[in-house]
Amino acid sequence: MFRSERLQSNRLAKGHVAWAVALLLALTTSVGRAAEPLTYFGFEKAAHSAAAREGLEDIFAGRLFHSAIPVPVAPGPGNKLGYDINTADGQFYALGRLPSPPNRKAGSAAGFGVGESVFVRGKEQMFNMNCFGCHAGVVNGQVVAGLANNRVNQSDPKSNLLRTRGDNFGPYIVWGFIAQLENPATEGLVLAKAKTKLLNDLESLQLPPVDPMPWWLMKYKKKDYWYADADPRDAASFSINFTSAHDAMNARHAEHVKSVDKALAFARETESPPFPKALNAQRVQQGANLFHGSTPPKDRKGFTACATCHGKYEKVRDADLSRPGSWKVNYDFSHVLKDVDTDDSYSQTLRKLKPIADHVNKLKAYYAAKGTPELTPQFSVPTKGGYVAPPLVGVWASAPYFHNGSVPTLEAVLNSQIRPEIWSRDISAPHAYDLERVGMKHKVVSRAEFRKSAENADGKPVLSKEAIDHGALYDTKAFGHGNMGHTFGDSLTADERGAIIEFLKSLSGPDM
Ligand code: HEC
Ligand code: HEC
């Protein structure tokens, strides 16, 4: 059997966590030849502010994560790990690690992906992961800056922990790191030598995955994350997410916060890719009316106007609704948690982490004493259930849906009856995106097929073909992977549902 989702204490204690993830990302993937040439969206924009441009450079340069390993031991390109990258399977496998945009300057080296950085520190060439390892994704053949990488493979070869493709556990590395601070009030960012009780407690928890919201939503929000915590401009708080164990942490903190500030400026200026096909203007308007509740659906039972939770979208005067981007966003719910009966595990887990949040918040005294209160990170956990209802700009591109990525298409978000219990990413056509049902092309898998695949993978290394294939299956009965709740679309007719989806497609593009 595979091990359950638990933190790997040995790695945490050694403080190699950040690069362990980097190593994983690199190990489990390798840049392949794409079926069609990939295009890039949002990595270089004349309209970017100076801070955003510098932020992009800093991300690519590898300045955000201090932990890095020397290049010679870093797994390089061409690591096929049981997959032939000239085959369709291998391409899918390869595409978890996306190639860099052709105009990338900082931190690039032949064969390393958009989410990796290679740079010189001291005399040595170093390698680490950058934000795009988790925050650049491919949709419809386009690599998009700020879109969550829904193909990330965070399986751990060391402990042979197999994880579902796309599952992200990044935040727990941060919680583990701050749990290990020795005495934040007086010593700042110094780590305890022996493992802390807080870290032990964290390691005893079973951990649910979380799928990041796209960065382009930040410009509409006062709070980030599915649980409404950090202010999207609060670089001091975000900096802790990218701090990793090294001796110079206190000395480097101010400079690090500056870099993070620029990276966040870039993140806030990312935009959603426009829906790539012409829209039916009349259907868009019909959908907008239903969404806002200005026209009731045929069957009103169980329906609540979507705008109640997801914000209002006002038509730009004289806009052509057959084109995306014709709406002005009027959304102010990023600080509000709404419990719509989706999987509760992530929220429950976060609530258990309150003692860790209290611990890191003692840093306030440290930075006050130093006379630099602006460098203080602040953490919070939810006090009740539910998640943020995000603005729905660019939602066509950000499948799979919900905070845990459990639902592959918008059609199924709006019809809980058709949500597949087990679904598989399409391995044969890795760039394929379903523009009709809107979301990931996928296959519905039976429980018997799932068992067979699990048996095939059992006892094999997590990087074997059998285990990688099994990792492509999303089982909504597994812990934290539930696809329940949010049944607001269930009573709609197929026609009404289609109209709302047409409207959602139109909420996209650089004009929004
Ligand atoms: C190992 C994967 C990983 C890496 C690398 C990573 N993140 Fe994230 N990030 C996540 C996950 C997962 C979340 C979602 C957490 C949540 O909502 O609870 C997230 C959320 C965010 C958010 C909040 C988005 C929103 O509006 O809710 C921002 C901003 C962000 N990350 C910025 C960055 C930056 C900047 C970097 C690089 C310095 C980075 N991240 C690197 C995994 C990662
Ligand atoms: C009572 C509040 C509420 C109503 C009404 C509501 N939603 Fe939601 N919606 C949410 C919440 C909360 C989430 C996040 C749930 C989660 O991730 O677990 C969500 C998630 C979504 C998502 C997935 C977003 C993503 O990025 O994964 C879509 C799409 C969506 N809603 C569309 C709609 C549409 C269309 C309607 C109207 C038919 C609607 N919602 C009605 C609260 C609501």
Side-chain angles (χ1 to χ4, degrees):
M1 285 302 289
F2 294 108
R3 312 199 25 187
S4 66
E5 311 285 8
R6 286 179 205 275
L7 282 179
Q8 300 306 302
S9 57
N10 52 339
R11 286 196 283 119
L12 278 168
K14 283 184 201 144
H16 288 161
V17 282
W19 74 253
V21 173
L23 190 68
L24 272 176
L25 281 167
L27 253 178
T28 51
T29 54
S30 91
V31 175
R33 260 182 268 149
E36 289 155 39
L38 289 163
T39 54
Y40 294 84
F41 183 86
F43 290 93
E44 205 172 16
K45 268 268 150 83
H48 279 154
S49 67
R53 246 175 275 151
E54 282 175 42
L56 178 60
E57 283 287 294
D58 274 20
I59 292 173
F60 272 149
R63 270 194 276 280
L64 277 296
F65 290 97
H66 187 88
S67 289
I69 51 177
V71 160
V73 275
N79 196 341
K80 293 180 190 158
L81 304 162
Y83 260 102
D84 178 353
I85 57 172
N86 295 312
T87 66
D89 280 1
Q91 280 167 11
F92 168 76
Y93 176 59
L95 286 166
R97 183 206 205 187
L98 298 159
S100 285
N103 46 15
R104 172 176 176 181
K105 293 175 211 95
S108 62
F112 285 89
V114 66
E116 294 149 330
S117 297
V118 176
F119 56 93
V120 175
R121 183 185 292 159
K123 283 201 178 113
E124 216 161 6
Q125 235 205 350
M126 308 292 280
F127 155 87
N128 71 2
M129 156 162 94
N130 66 51
C131 316
F132 295 127
C134 296
H135 293 288
V138 63
V139 60
N140 207 34
Q142 205 166 34
V143 182
V144 179
L147 176 63
N149 180 356
N150 65 33
R151 286 176 172 77
V152 82
N153 186 346
Q154 293 187 349
S155 298
D156 182 357
K158 263 197 205 155
S159 59
N160 213 36
L161 171 73
L162 180 69
R163 282 168 162 171
T164 302
R165 201 71 182 252
D167 276 5
N168 208 317
F169 296 88
Y172 305 112
I173 295 174
V174 181
W175 289 104
F177 169 73
I178 59 180
Q180 190 56 27
L181 291 176
E182 171 104 76
N183 195 341
T186 55
E187 291 173 62
L189 300 171
V190 172
L191 292 184
K193 299 225 161 45
K195 199 198 282 184
T196 61
K197 180 178 180 307
L198 285 174
L199 182 54
N200 266 322
D201 291 349
L202 175 66
E203 286 175 2
S204 71
L205 299 176
Q206 204 182 359
L207 301 174
V210 54
D211 185 27
M213 287 188 201
W215 279 354
W216 62 72
L217 298 181
M218 288 167 73
K219 57 171 106 41
Y220 312 111
K221 303 203 292 187
K222 286 182 188 146
K223 293 279 180 186
D224 273 323
Y225 302 135
W226 287 102
Y227 58 103
D229 184 11
D231 178 321
R233 295 174 183 271
D234 184 354
S237 288
F238 269 101
S239 71
I240 294 299
N241 295 353
F242 321 123
T243 299
S244 37
H246 55 90
D247 296 340
M249 276 192 302
N250 276 330
R252 203 177 162 258
H253 185 60
E255 172 213 333
H256 190 217
V257 171
K258 262 193 209 149
S259 237
V260 171
D261 192 43
K262 290 186 269 178
L264 290 180
F266 174 80
R268 284 193 307 269
E269 290 180 30
T270 54
E271 292 161 341
S272 66
F275 188 78
K277 287 190 164 171
L279 304 167
N280 178 329
Q282 185 246 322
R283 294 279 281 158
V284 171
Q285 185 65 63
Q286 183 195 349
N289 294 346
L290 286 161
F291 185 96
H292 292 97
S294 51
T295 312
K298 280 209 182 74
D299 180 357
R300 297 175 192 216
K301 200 167 49 48
F303 183 79
T304 308
C306 321
T308 321
C309 299
H310 291 287
K312 293 197 182 98
Y313 304 83
E314 289 151 24
K315 194 170 124 183
V316 177
R317 256 181 89 194
D318 302 326
D320 173 3
L321 291 186
S322 68
R323 291 191 195 168
S326 309
W327 306 93
K328 232 184 97 213
V329 182
N330 181 356
Y331 168 92
D332 191 15
F333 296 124
S334 64
H335 56 296
V336 185
L337 299 180
K338 308 221 173 166
D339 191 348
V340 296
D341 299 324
T342 52
D343 192 304
D344 193 32
S345 321
Y346 185 47
S347 169
Q348 276 188 25
T349 302
L350 288 164
R351 278 174 274 168
K352 288 183 193 150
L353 304 184
K354 176 144 195 318
I356 303 183
D358 292 345
H359 185 61
V360 71
N361 287 340
K362 291 180 195 147
L363 282 169
K364 192 171 178 196
Y366 177 81
Y367 291 110
K370 293 265 169 205
T372 54
E374 71 281 2
L375 297 180
T376 309
Q378 190 68 35
F379 275 58
S380 75
V381 295
T383 50
K384 57 174 193 146
Y387 302 97
V388 169
L392 297 177
V393 175
V395 74
W396 78 269
S398 66
Y401 298 105
F402 292 154
H403 69 278
N404 56 2
S406 57
V407 178
T409 63
L410 282 181
E411 189 187 54
V413 167
L414 293 184
N415 186 356
S416 69
Q417 306 301 313
I418 62 164
R419 290 178 196 162
E421 180 177 314
I422 307 173
W423 56 277
S424 162
R425 287 142 200 280
D426 189 338
I427 291 185
S428 61
H431 291 160
Y433 204 72
D434 190 330
L435 298 177
E436 295 300 318
R437 297 189 281 174
V438 188
M440 299 200 73
K441 278 226 164 114
H442 65 281
K443 208 174 76 192
V444 178
V445 175
S446 70
R447 184 57 63 186
E449 286 172 296
F450 182 85
R451 280 203 202 98
K452 192 156 172 265
S453 150
E455 265 165 38
N456 277 343
D458 195 15
K460 307 246 166 51
V462 291
L463 296 179
S464 66
K465 183 173 183 308
E466 291 83 354
I468 288 165
D469 286 351
H470 189 59
L473 307 185
Y474 193 107
D475 178 7
T476 62
K477 294 291 181 228
F479 175 76
H481 293 70
N483 64 356
M484 63 293 257
H486 197 285
T487 52
F488 307 105
D490 283 11
S491 58
L492 299 172
T493 63
D495 177 73
E496 289 167 337
R497 220 171 267 134
I500 291 182
I501 290 177
E502 197 73 359
F503 166 66
L504 292 178
K505 292 177 191 170
S506 82
L507 296 178
S508 61
D511 296 336
M512 295 214 44

